[in-house]
Amino acid sequence: MTSKHDKHQQRQEKIKQQVDEKVAQATIEKGLFLVITGNGKGKSTSAFGTVARAVGHGQKAAVAQFIKGGWECGERNLLSTHGVEFMVMDTDFTWETQNRDSDTAAAELVWQQAKQALRNDELDLVVLDEITYMINYDYIALDDVINAINSRPKEQTVIVTGRAAHRSLTELADTVSEVRNVKHGFDNGIKARKGIDW
Ligand code: ATP
Ligand code: MG
């Protein structure tokens, strides 16, 4: 009779074998395109966590922040002192559009800077934080974003964050994660907190 212990061991060995096979098959060396989308909390923090990871290895990263450029941001305070270039939207754009023309112009300006970053082969990582909204509102042309991502340097990784990522982006991406909202303290009246929410 096989004991529980033996069964467990057999299962683990099988899993190990499957993982080993997958590891052996993963031989492509290139920068990735990642999309982090969904309605839950954790998209931008995930992207910034990856910037910290890259910088910790001595790599070079740049971040374009769409929407919340004027807002305080703990990650920007920290990472900009570690050589990370930030491109931010110079507008008080909020979720309700105030002025479509000035918002489009502000988005376009950051996008032009982001495009430079996507051509710069010294950058290992480029984050396009909250760009999905700019695309969905038609402030930035989807095709232009797809082209810029497609023609970036081979070793460069790009991370796009934001809710409702366009299908063309998720189809093009190598890795897509959807953060699902199970619950959020805000819905129970807990105020956004410094160091947690920004
Ligand atoms: P974070 O920057 O904390 O990782 P995020 O990038 O996933 O959040 P955004 O849609 O960019 O989420 O929203 C940013 C702000 O909105 C943060 O302060 C975050 O706590 C808050 N937020 C995120 N998800 C929710 C939610 N489901 N309900 C209410 N507020 C939310
Ligand atoms: Mg975010």
Side-chain angles (χ1 to χ4, degrees):
M1 205 183 89
T2 42
S3 69
K4 251 186 176 170
H5 173 83
D6 290 343
K7 270 195 185 151
H8 176 77
Q9 194 132 349
Q10 280 165 12
R11 243 190 339 255
Q12 291 306 109
E13 268 165 25
K14 203 165 167 204
I15 292 170
K16 186 180 181 312
Q17 206 180 345
Q18 287 166 349
V19 172
D20 285 350
E21 275 168 24
K22 278 201 175 155
V23 170
Q25 278 162 17
T27 54
I28 304 167
E29 291 255 15
K30 69 174 189 95
L32 291 141
F33 171 32
L34 299 93
V35 172
I36 306 169
T37 189
N39 292 330
K41 170 172 165 59
K43 300 175 290 295
S44 297
T45 41
S46 165
F48 284 118
T50 311
V51 173
R53 188 176 273 183
V55 169
H57 286 294
Q59 296 181 356
K60 285 202 68 146
V63 179
Q65 282 180 299
F66 296 90
I67 296 190
K68 293 174 225 162
W71 298 16
E72 234 197 307
C73 168
E75 301 95 318
R76 193 167 67 224
N77 294 346
L78 175 74
L79 294 165
S80 55
T81 67
H82 288 268
V84 178
E85 186 202 347
F86 277 79
M87 300 157 263
V88 300
M89 245 164 90
D90 182 23
T91 172
D92 43 12
F93 178 96
T94 54
W95 306 99
E96 314 96 52
T97 305
Q98 308 293 320
N99 180 331
R100 197 180 159 86
D101 289 341
S102 64
D103 287 346
T104 308
E108 186 58 31
L109 210 65
V110 177
W111 172 234
Q112 290 308 323
Q113 295 170 327
K115 272 207 282 194
Q116 293 289 336
L118 291 167
R119 286 189 211 110
N120 182 352
D121 64 7
E122 286 179 5
L123 288 171
D124 300 284
L125 175 62
V126 176
V127 173
L128 306 173
D129 190 35
E130 324 287 359
I131 199 175
T132 58
Y133 306 94
M134 303 294 107
I135 296 167
N136 295 344
Y137 291 168
D138 238 355
Y139 289 179
I140 300 173
L142 173 67
D143 286 355
D144 201 20
V145 176
I146 300 268
N147 280 339
I149 291 172
N150 271 332
S151 21
R152 75 190 192 279
K154 186 175 173 270
E155 296 293 328
Q156 189 182 81
T157 287
V158 179
I159 306 179
V160 158
T161 80
R163 297 175 192 209
H166 194 283
R167 195 162 164 185
S168 312
L169 291 172
T170 55
E171 279 173 0
L172 180 67
D174 301 293
T175 299
V176 179
S177 296
E178 188 171 311
V179 184
R180 187 167 66 91
N181 182 39
V182 176
K183 58 164 113 164
H184 196 289
F186 179 73
D187 297 330
N188 282 321
I190 304 173
K191 214 173 153 178
R193 263 175 101 74
K194 187 180 202 166
I196 303 297
D197 291 299
W198 77 85

